[in-house]
Structure formats: structure tokens, C-alpha cells
Amino acid sequence: MNKIEIGNSGMMASQIAMGTWSMGGDIQWGTQDEKISLKAIRTAVEEGINLIDTAPAYGFGYSEQLVGKAIKELPRDQILVQTKCGFWWKDDEGALLIERDGRVCRRNLSRRAIMDGVKDSLQNLDVDYIDILVTHHQAREPFLTPVSETMQALEELKKEGTIRAIGISNCNMAEIEAYLACGTIDVIQEHFNMLEPETANEFLPICEKNQITFQGFSILKQGLLTGRFGMDDQLPAENVRNRSHWFQLNNRKKILDMLDCWKPLCEKYDCNLANLVVAWSAKKSLRMLILGGGRKEQHVRDYIKGEALPLDGADYEKMNKDIVRFLGIQV
């Protein structure tokens, strides 16, 4: 598997990382099967994935605990653990983000919240240090913590060896520039898929200029780009997929038509649609690291096969033209 340096940190990560959002087991994703999730994580590591991404927000610590269990018997120096900070539910400090599972969740990137959150993450993960710490959601009014305060806390954690690299997520260009003015950023983690390429298109140039690794998540758009969801499939009202207009039936029809015309490519490369879409995503940039989601061993294998698929330039361009033709999106 291809390796990508995490910023200027010297840490080399597999181009496919194991994302554990859907393993959180909260109301957004439904009841979890711990054994299946543990098997998926361990399969990822066995097949060459060395970066595992989690967050306190994923099941209010459950995902972190799951990752901790999965890596317990593995050599710590061979695994890169990435978690996040800034998602706060312990008290009323912070800007309201969402109410979920009986908790009021807020944006809080104060020094106090970061230090307290990292302490909890270390305990959940049962590790002595975190390889990459990402600010999960950026500060907003009425609790607009200065970026300088946030970065000072992160740099302090880095200096003492509690974390090794710093990342930011769910941000805008002004916030990226503010972070860079205060210190070193190794990772930008953002939504990226062929339905929503805008953020990657905007941020990749600054990543190239500053040697920042771009981590794209939701590559398969929560399963929509695998062809899994047909026109008759209905989602529970609380399912996270309902937040996206792409799951609406009129848009779903366009996507299914596009995927149908890629079946000859699947035959050519002896792959499924998930493999093909991952391969397309991996060609976006040399700085592109893909956060592979899913909860099952097969999901992991789909990402791994997609990363290794030798998608040639002509077929890549055909897919780009089809995205424009069916969806009107310039990728």
C-alpha cells in the first residue's frame, strides 16, 4: 500500500486509513456489534493500514474505547492513532452544535476543554500518547476561542510528547490561515467525494504549499456511491444520511444512472463500484489520504482493493466526464 507522510512529522501513513465514525454506536448509526467492528479494525491492520481515526464524538467515547481494545495486543510503534478535540458535552461552556442521545453538544476549543478532552481520550484509548490530534469543529460565536489559544494548547501537548502532530477539520480558508500563522499544521481533514469535491479543490493548493496532508472522508458518500441504496430503500428518520440532499430520490436516480454506466469499468478491472470510486478518489492528489469508513471486514477490503486498483488516465477522465454529464459537477 502507498504511504504518505503526515505533514512534516516524519510519520508515514498508509494511503487508506481506518475511519471509525460509524462504529460509534450512537443514534446516528444504530446498534453496534462490537465483535464485527473489532474484526474490521484488526483486518485493516493485518492488510497494511497503519492509521486509525476516531473521536470522542463517535458514541461519546465508545469508538475510542473500541480502537483501544483493537490495538491492545499490537506493537504501539507500528500504529498511528488519530483522535480529535473540540466536541464538548461536559458543561454549558461553548457554542451549541447539536443535541444528540440526550446530551447537549457544543464547540469548545478552549485550553481547558482541549486538555480535559485529551486526558479522557488517552484513558479511552488506553495509550500513553496520541499520534495526531485534530480539532474536530472550529470555534463559533458566542464562544469564539482565539485560534492562538487553541494552537498554544496543541503546541504544549506536542512539546510534552502527548501528541505528535496537529490537524484541523470542518474549517474554512480563513481558519486554515489563522492556524498556520500560529504554528504548524500537519493534517486538514475534510469531506471529499465525487459529489462534493469543492473543499478539496479549494484546500489542496494550500496543502501543497505548506506540506499538509489532506484527509478525505465520506469518499463513498456513506454508501451511496457503492450502488447499495436503490430507489426503493428507505432510511430511519434519525439516520445521519437523511442530512444529505444526495439521498433524496431525484438525486439518487441520477447517481444510480451514472454508476450503471461504470459497470463495464468494473468488468475491466475485475472490481466492484466501491473499489472503482476509491481508485478514482486516490488519484485526486499525491497528498490525498483516504479515511475509509464502514463497520465490517468487507468494507475494509473494498477500500484496500480500490487503493491498489491501477485505474488508467483515460478511464479516470471518462469518470470525470460522466460526473459532469449526469450530475453537472466539475471535479
Side-chain angles (χ1 to χ4, degrees), residues 187-286:
V187 166
I188 292 175
Q189 183 183 118
E190 292 291 334
H191 225 87
F192 168 66
N193 54 66
M194 58 179 60
L195 308 178
E196 299 157 329
E198 301 85 5
T199 302
N201 292 340
E202 180 182 8
F203 291 172
L204 278 169
I206 200 168
C207 289
E208 297 284 352
K209 180 179 178 181
N210 293 277
Q211 292 185 277
I212 298 169
T213 301
F214 186 97
Q215 294 183 353
F217 65 89
S218 201
I219 298 295
L220 299 176
K221 193 53 185 174
Q222 298 161 346
L224 184 58
L225 290 170
T226 68
R228 168 188 164 192
F229 294 96
M231 295 300 291
D232 296 330
D233 290 309
Q234 296 184 350
L235 299 168
E238 66 275 7
N239 191 285
V240 69
R241 295 177 176 90
N242 288 317
R243 299 179 195 169
S244 172
H245 71 281
W246 287 111
F247 277 86
Q248 295 175 5
L249 291 181
N250 60 325
N251 289 324
R252 201 183 302 182
K253 176 67 165 58
K254 297 175 186 177
I255 293 165
L256 289 171
D257 288 343
M258 179 181 72
L259 296 177
D260 189 60
C261 84
W262 290 346
K263 288 181 179 178
L265 292 178
C266 290
E267 293 177 7
K268 174 180 177 179
Y269 291 104
D270 187 25
C271 69
N272 61 31
L273 285 166
N275 305 149
L276 188 67
V277 173
V278 170
W280 177 92
S281 305
K283 288 181 76 74
K284 179 70 174 179
S285 168
L286 294 175

Side-chain angles (χ1 to χ4, degrees), residues 38-50:
L38 288 172
K39 176 64 174 174
I41 296 171
R42 288 169 178 156
T43 296
V45 175
E46 289 167 4
E47 296 296 327
I49 291 175
N50 72 336

Side-chain angles (χ1 to χ4, degrees), residues 33 40 102 112 115 165 167 179 182 223 243 248 252 259 280 289 328:
D33 186 315
R112 178 182 78 95
M115 296 302 184
Y179 275 95
C182 295
R243 299 179 195 169
Q248 295 175 5
R252 201 183 302 182
L259 296 177
W280 177 92
L289 186 151

Side-chain angles (χ1 to χ4, degrees), residues 4-21:
I4 295 176
E5 184 177 7
I6 298 297
N8 276 315
S9 69
M11 293 185 288
M12 300 300 294
S14 50
Q15 189 174 17
I16 302 293
M18 182 76 221
T20 62
W21 178 22

Side-chain angles (χ1 to χ4, degrees), residues 5 8 12 60 94 118 132 138-139 149 175 177 183 186 189 213 221 223 257 268 300-301 309 317 326-327 329:
E5 184 177 7
N8 276 315
M12 300 300 294
F60 299 99
V118 166
I132 309 161
Q138 303 310 308
E149 178 183 337
E175 287 162 341
E177 292 171 347
D186 296 294
Q189 183 183 118
T213 301
K221 193 53 185 174
D257 288 343
K268 174 180 177 179
V300 174
R301 296 192 184 281
L309 193 150
E317 288 305 319
F326 284 95
L327 305 177
I329 296 172

Side-chain angles (χ1 to χ4, degrees), residues 11-12 45 49-54 64 67-83 118 121-133 161-165:
M11 293 185 288
M12 300 300 294
V45 175
I49 291 175
N50 72 336
L51 173 58
I52 303 174
D53 174 84
T54 183
E64 288 184 324
V67 171
K69 288 182 182 180
I71 66 172
K72 190 63 178 173
E73 306 304 322
L74 300 172
R76 179 65 182 90
D77 62 352
Q78 295 180 23
I79 303 294
L80 300 179
V81 176
Q82 176 172 282
T83 192
V118 166
S121 290
L122 290 169
Q123 183 175 342
N124 286 335
L125 290 160
D126 195 17
V127 296
D128 297 323
Y129 64 93
I130 294 163
D131 295 287
I132 309 161
L133 184 66
T162 303
I163 67 174
R164 300 174 65 196

